[in-house]
Amino acid sequence: MEEKIRYVGIDLGKRTYQCAILDEKAKNQQFNGKADGIGLERLAKRLGNDDLVGLEAGNNAFNIARYLTDRVGCHVVVLNPGKLAMIYQSLKKTDREDAVQIARLLQRNPVEELPTVPLPTKKEEEERSVVAELATYKADRTRYINRLHSVFLDSGITTITKADLKTASNREKNVLTLLTGRHVREARRLIEMVAYCEAIIEDLEQETKQFLESEKNTGILMSVPGVGPATALAFIAYVGDGSRFANADQVANYAGLTPRVDSSGETHRMGPISKQGCAYLRRVIVQAAWSLVRSKSGGHLKEAYKTLITRKPKAVAIIAIARRLVKLLYTLVTKKTYYRYSQLKERLAKLKYHKLQIIGLGS
């Protein structure tokens, strides 16, 4: 006898899960458990291979999705939480209600119309972890340098800029020669924190290089001005070879770089970017766009930026360049071609500067 499909919604917490199962008669079964080995085994025993299971992207979601797929054989979809709020809104916000809402969402919508998040491979998860950790420690380093700069300002010293505190030798020299009293002790603690972050950043950059040297698209991505190891790895980790996306516009939307559209009648307004999507990818692409427009070999994107800033603020113009940049990277990767304005000797020099060993750079 053929088993009927059931719709399973799972709301994940840090240590627990809440599960709701709807069958074709809309009967609601609910249970919960711990999101550990024993709890997940009990969950797997209550599911069948004909079930359609949905859970929100978040902590441990990909691991659980992969476990249920392998253990049960059911169809598991990971849903984008940023877009779920626009689809269902409930006045009763509890774990039980959220699980039911996810199950109903699966029941009412074809899978291809759901706001799903592609399930990454183990290697992609590791690469994403490096990208996220590197971004965190770079942000921490910047924050500590900003605080160190404020110590000089609190001392009445306004001649020191943040740029003067970028290197360890400059930080030590300026603290010893310009600060006195308690400000010296506070500054030294901040210097230690900066040094701690820089040591971890150095380790993570080495890990980044190891990943990049094993990826076939590294040379293609880094052939574009402004794109360094961090940007290349972020693109590889979150976009991959581009096969998950139908076109370049989808990648720009995934990075949250597409503008909001306000359309009513004959009025059409383009608002600020949505910022709904991959924050890590968006951050490094914007940073790469700044590097590109400051580069001597910025090519057509740099020229486009020069035109844009004649009629738009720089902050708006750079987002437009970032959007074009991520679409360009997608196009190059999917077509397996290098940036047309880059020369082989330039690509070799860039990879040598970053101490990357890449095979097959094109001509």
Side-chain angles (χ1 to χ4, degrees), residues 315-356:
V316 175
I318 203 64
I319 292 299
I321 298 303
R323 182 165 57 251
R324 296 186 192 185
L325 175 58
V326 78
K327 291 166 73 171
L328 170 64
L329 295 178
Y330 168 82
T331 302
L332 295 178
V333 165
T334 52
K335 291 186 175 181
K336 306 297 180 188
T337 185
Y338 293 88
Y339 184 54
R340 70 171 70 178
Y341 300 106
S342 68
Q343 302 296 320
L344 178 59
K345 62 179 182 180
E346 294 174 342
R347 299 201 291 270
L348 286 169
K350 188 175 184 180
L351 294 174
K352 183 179 180 181
Y353 174 80
H354 291 291
K355 299 179 182 178
L356 281 167

Side-chain angles (χ1 to χ4, degrees), residues 5-252:
I5 188 171
R6 299 186 305 173
Y7 304 92
V8 183
I10 301 176
D11 183 74
L12 289 176
K14 290 183 179 179
R15 299 180 182 85
T16 61
Y17 66 83
Q18 179 72 38
C19 182
I21 301 178
L22 298 178
D23 58 23
E24 290 188 338
K25 296 180 181 179
K27 289 185 178 180
N28 185 354
Q29 304 175 44
Q30 291 226 10
F31 58 92
N32 54 38
K34 292 184 178 180
D36 56 14
I38 296 174
L40 293 178
E41 178 65 21
R42 289 174 178 169
L43 170 62
K45 288 180 178 178
R46 301 187 69 162
L47 300 178
N49 56 13
D50 288 327
D51 292 341
L52 176 59
V53 181
L55 59 160
E56 290 185 55
N59 291 336
N60 209 27
F62 292 129
N63 288 330
I64 293 177
R66 194 176 289 110
Y67 171 81
L68 293 177
T69 301
D70 297 340
R71 174 70 174 76
V72 184
C74 52
H75 186 181
V76 183
V77 293
V78 181
L79 303 166
N80 185 338
K83 295 184 179 180
L84 286 180
M86 295 185 290
I87 297 175
Y88 67 83
Q89 294 181 356
S90 175
L91 297 177
K92 188 193 296 183
K93 191 68 178 149
T94 64
D95 292 345
R96 289 172 61 89
E97 185 64 23
D98 287 350
V100 172
Q101 292 287 6
I102 292 172
R104 287 175 179 163
L105 185 68
L106 300 179
Q107 189 178 42
R108 294 169 180 169
N109 297 274
V111 173
E112 59 271 15
E113 294 181 9
L114 293 171
T116 58
V117 178
L119 191 64
T121 64
K122 276 291 186 181
K123 186 177 181 182
E124 285 174 334
E125 281 192 326
E126 290 177 354
E127 290 171 339
R128 292 179 185 187
S129 177
V130 171
V131 169
E133 191 177 3
L134 184 58
T136 297
Y137 279 102
K138 282 186 174 181
D140 287 345
R141 177 183 180 273
T142 300
R143 185 169 67 253
Y144 289 129
I145 287 177
N146 290 343
R147 285 179 58 186
L148 180 60
H149 181 245
S150 70
V151 172
F152 284 91
L153 295 179
D154 291 342
S155 301
I157 301 169
T158 59
T159 54
I160 295 296
T161 66
K162 293 175 185 177
D164 295 325
L165 304 173
K166 292 296 183 181
T167 64
S169 58
N170 278 354
R171 290 192 290 269
E172 190 70 24
K173 180 184 69 175
N174 288 319
V175 167
L176 287 175
T177 57
L178 298 175
L179 296 179
T180 59
R182 189 187 181 282
H183 287 127
V184 174
R185 295 192 294 274
E186 183 181 0
R188 284 197 173 280
R189 284 190 288 270
L190 289 169
I191 285 176
E192 289 178 4
M193 296 304 295
V194 174
Y196 173 74
C197 291
E198 287 179 340
I200 296 177
I201 289 170
E202 186 176 350
D203 288 343
L204 290 170
E205 287 177 342
Q206 284 300 121
E207 198 171 351
T208 296
K209 291 176 184 177
Q210 291 172 7
F211 277 117
L212 289 176
E213 287 176 348
S214 67
E215 292 287 352
K216 60 184 179 182
N217 289 322
T218 299
I220 291 174
L221 293 167
M222 292 188 64
S223 69
V224 180
V227 177
T231 305
L233 185 62
F235 189 91
I236 289 169
Y238 289 100
V239 181
D241 61 1
S243 59
R244 295 197 299 258
F245 300 89
N247 51 54
D249 288 328
Q250 283 190 3
V251 179

